Amino acid sequence: MDFFVENFSNLPAILVSIGFLLTLIAFVISDILWLRVFTIAAKLAMAIAALMPESGPMWLSFAGNMLLVAINVVHSSLLIMERRRSCLSMEEQQLKDKAFPSMDRVFVKRLFAAARWCDLEKGDTLLVEGECPDKLFLFLEGEAFVSVRHKRIGEIGPGQFVGEMSFLTRQSAGATVVVREPSRCLVWQRDIVEKLYKQDRDLQMILTAAIGVDLAGKILLQNQRTAGVD
């Protein structure tokens, strides 16, 4: 009996420790849904612990933790429903794997929904040096040449954007891009995307983040090529 009483008196401290551990785990998880699941478990443990002190229940702490539980339950439910609506087609999944392997599927679906599929022929010009484009391309299949002042400086392949900096900054393109072989890609139209920004405020952030990932990859590749030349 004494053993039970002694361990029961330590239970609030154990629950609080579990709560802090689960909170720590939640903040190192990249998946937002699992972050919320671990947060719910952490706050439940802390809420139960708040009812068990020998001096009496800590109602304010209990209410605060339960409020956080309720908020995270609601958001988790919304995320689950959104993920069920966010199934990717085979092509979309292939493009996600190439371009955004670590990005949440929900965000990828919202990003792709703002674009349309387009088939390109060999010789199609996507960007003209010195002109401001009104489209953004993301290659699923095929390749394109990149040239500056009629000198080829690189290539664009599957999983890479074309015209990303000009699309974001509205400045003229710094290079000309011509399709090398029959290709398939997603195309974002500037005027359509800007209208969608007003309906989906997260879309701009998602698109900017996606372009940032692509730019980082291109810079890394260029550095590797330079190092190889040196």
Side-chain angles (χ1 to χ4, degrees):
M1 185 67 178
D2 292 339
F3 175 82
F4 175 79
V5 171
E6 181 180 350
N7 281 275
F8 183 80
S9 63
N10 291 332
L11 189 56
I14 294 172
L15 287 172
V16 170
S17 298
I18 291 173
F20 279 120
L21 177 61
L22 291 173
T23 300
L24 177 63
I25 294 173
F27 279 102
V28 298
I29 292 176
S30 58
D31 188 292
I32 187 81
L33 179 58
W34 281 108
L35 183 151
R36 292 194 179 279
V37 168
F38 275 96
T39 300
I40 290 168
K43 297 308 174 183
L44 274 175
M46 291 182 176
I48 294 172
L51 296 176
M52 303 177 67
E54 294 181 358
S55 58
M58 301 169 62
W59 293 113
L60 184 60
S61 177
F62 173 79
N65 281 292
M66 289 306 297
L67 177 61
L68 291 174
V69 167
I71 291 172
N72 280 281
V73 166
V74 170
H75 282 287
S76 296
S77 301
L78 293 174
L79 273 173
I80 291 171
M81 288 189 292
E82 189 171 10
R83 287 189 177 187
R84 288 180 177 177
R85 295 194 301 266
S86 300
C87 293
L88 299 175
S89 67
M90 184 179 297
E91 285 185 319
E92 288 173 335
Q93 186 62 52
Q94 289 175 353
L95 192 52
K96 177 188 182 304
D97 294 340
K98 293 179 191 303
F100 323 112
S102 61
M103 185 176 286
D104 190 280
R105 187 182 67 194
V106 173
F107 295 149
V108 172
K109 185 67 177 182
R110 288 161 71 178
L111 184 61
F112 288 176
R116 61 179 178 82
W117 286 103
C118 180
D119 292 310
L120 304 172
E121 298 297 329
K122 179 179 179 179
D124 286 349
T125 301
L126 307 183
L127 289 183
V128 176
E129 186 177 355
E131 295 184 6
C132 186
D134 59 357
K135 294 178 183 177
L136 173 68
F137 301 85
L138 176 59
F139 274 61
L140 170 64
E141 299 172 347
E143 290 183 345
F145 290 130
V146 182
S147 61
V148 175
R149 297 177 183 175
H150 306 292
K151 180 181 179 181
R152 187 184 302 172
I153 62 169
E155 297 178 354
I156 297 294
Q160 292 184 308
F161 283 100
V162 173
E164 64 277 10
M165 290 306 299
S166 299
F167 192 84
L168 287 180
T169 63
R170 287 183 171 272
Q171 295 180 351
S172 59
T176 296
V177 179
V178 179
V179 178
R180 176 183 181 182
E181 60 186 36
S183 305
R184 185 162 175 79
C185 63
L186 273 177
V187 182
W188 286 265
Q189 196 81 27
R190 184 192 300 279
D191 56 348
I192 294 176
V193 170
E194 289 180 346
K195 289 179 182 178
L196 289 174
Y197 283 165
K198 299 176 182 179
Q199 304 170 12
D200 186 351
R201 295 185 178 181
D202 290 336
L203 181 62
Q204 186 172 10
M205 179 184 67
I206 296 168
L207 184 57
T208 302
I211 290 174
V213 171
D214 179 66
L215 282 173
K218 287 177 178 175
I219 292 171
L220 178 61
L221 181 60
Q222 184 61 39
N223 289 341
Q224 290 173 344
R225 287 175 176 171
T226 303
V229 171
D230 295 340

